Amino acid sequence: MHTRRSLRRVACKAQGVRTSGAEFNPLLMGAVEALFKFPPFFDAAKKNARSMIVKRYESLGGDWEGAMRDLQAQDWEARFKAVEDPAVTYPSYYTQPFHAYSKGNLCWEAALEVTMAAQSVHALVMDPRGKQLDPNGDARLRSSYSARIHENMAELGADRSGVRRIVDLGCASGLSSRELLRAFPGAEVTGVDLSPYFLAVGRYEQERREAAGGRPEALRWVHGAAESTGLAAGGADLVSMCLVAHELPVEATKAIMREAHRLLRPGGVMCIMEMNPASPVFQRIFSNPFAYTAFKSTEPWLQEYISLDMPGALREAGFAQVVTRESTPRHKTVTALKQ
Ligand SMILES: C[S@@+](CC[C@H](N)C(=O)[O-])C[C@H]1O[C@@H](n2cnc3c(N)ncnc32)[C@H](O)[C@@H]1O
């Protein structure tokens, strides 16, 4: 009789798909993938995933439906027009379903839900077993990014007190941008994103914070591609890309690294926080073809991301030194110095 382990060994003898150490039988993966491409199955899986995210958010004490009702009552079209650059063109890798939204990042549903979805999805990230729910998981994930940036910069001998101008590539509605403002008080952050929907929601949330706090935030928004921001060369002390690379084909990530290198002054750093495919948590997912394919069905570029040699790509983009630290049991922070 075959055990699961022996079946896996048999599968690995076939010419398989590599996922950072794990290797799957292409027939098995093809079958699971075909299942996820079958619309009724995909729709059911999507519904299931979404209801799990909503339920988890509510079990953390949040009111998903109530928050959505309030958000949907806002005038989004005016905000959309204020942030949208109609000249922006969307790369084909971007205009496909992501995270179980059929229009990917180019729709209101994804943008209005993003803060709650982040709190729900990240509630488990600090627990190595992925079981213990933490209502502050998202905040901890982000503050661990800041802490690792500071440690990495210290190791690289980069000037941390001189960080004044930050660019946040793939900022969405600004969760990462706000963390950068917290990590570098006195700095100004320019958030760049391809989705005018996310930027409109980010601007709305910023207006509310500014009204509540009585002072403006040093955060501005640019609608555009991270590969070609149009921002001035050498004008940034720090460029961040937080939780974006797994949504990109490898060539796009490499183009963004080259753009970050162009944006930075000598002595500036590019910082990346991402899933860590080498972590035991991801290795567990990768060793289960069904879990892996389900994950991949909402992250179309996941397999490319896993194949990326991040330090190698950063060096290829011109960065002189690269250091990596673990941020959570499943995320890493990579920092690269421009000489
Ligand atoms: C998972 S979200 C991460 C958002 C945010 N940085 C955070 O930490 O929560 C990825 C974001 O990257 C944006 N994005 C993806 N590809 C992009 C590109 N080529 N240029 C600019 N933004 C991009 C998406 O629109 C989305 O808002």
Side-chain angles (χ1 to χ4, degrees), residues 7 14 45 47 51 98 120 129 158 179 182 186 255 276 305 310 322:
L7 278 173
K47 220 167 140 193
S51 96
F98 274 97
S120 172
R129 296 162 309 134
E179 181 57 37
R182 266 193 294 272
N276 181 4
Y305 168 67
M310 203 178 274
V322 183

Side-chain angles (χ1 to χ4, degrees), residues 17-34:
V17 176
R18 289 200 67 78
T19 57
S20 267
E23 201 165 339
F24 300 146
N25 180 336
L27 286 178
L28 180 57
M29 268 200 68
V32 184
E33 223 159 295

Side-chain angles (χ1 to χ4, degrees), residues 93-94 105 142 170 172 176 193-194 224-227 242-244 247-248:
Y93 68 76
Y94 188 76
N105 292 320
R142 294 178 190 285
S176 46
D193 204 281
L194 263 175
E227 294 91 324
C242 179
L243 299 173
V244 181
E247 291 193 4
L248 301 171

Side-chain angles (χ1 to χ4, degrees), residues 96 131 314 319:
Q96 50 178 299
K131 292 202 160 97
L314 284 160
F319 290 95

Side-chain angles (χ1 to χ4, degrees), residues 38-97:
F38 179 51
F41 186 87
F42 180 76
D43 288 347
K46 178 172 106 174
K47 220 167 140 193
N48 210 17
R50 195 168 175 286
S51 96
M52 196 268 290
I53 288 174
V54 174
K55 258 197 212 131
R56 193 191 288 163
Y57 182 77
E58 289 176 343
S59 77
L60 295 168
D63 173 9
W64 184 286
E65 295 304 328
M68 283 303 280
R69 261 196 311 277
D70 289 349
L71 285 168
Q72 278 156 350
Q74 300 300 318
D75 175 5
W76 291 109
E77 287 313 316
R79 290 193 171 89
F80 185 90
K81 284 206 180 92
V83 293
E84 188 203 20
D85 176 352
V88 167
T89 55
Y90 298 99
S92 57
Y93 68 76
Y94 188 76
T95 53
Q96 50 178 299

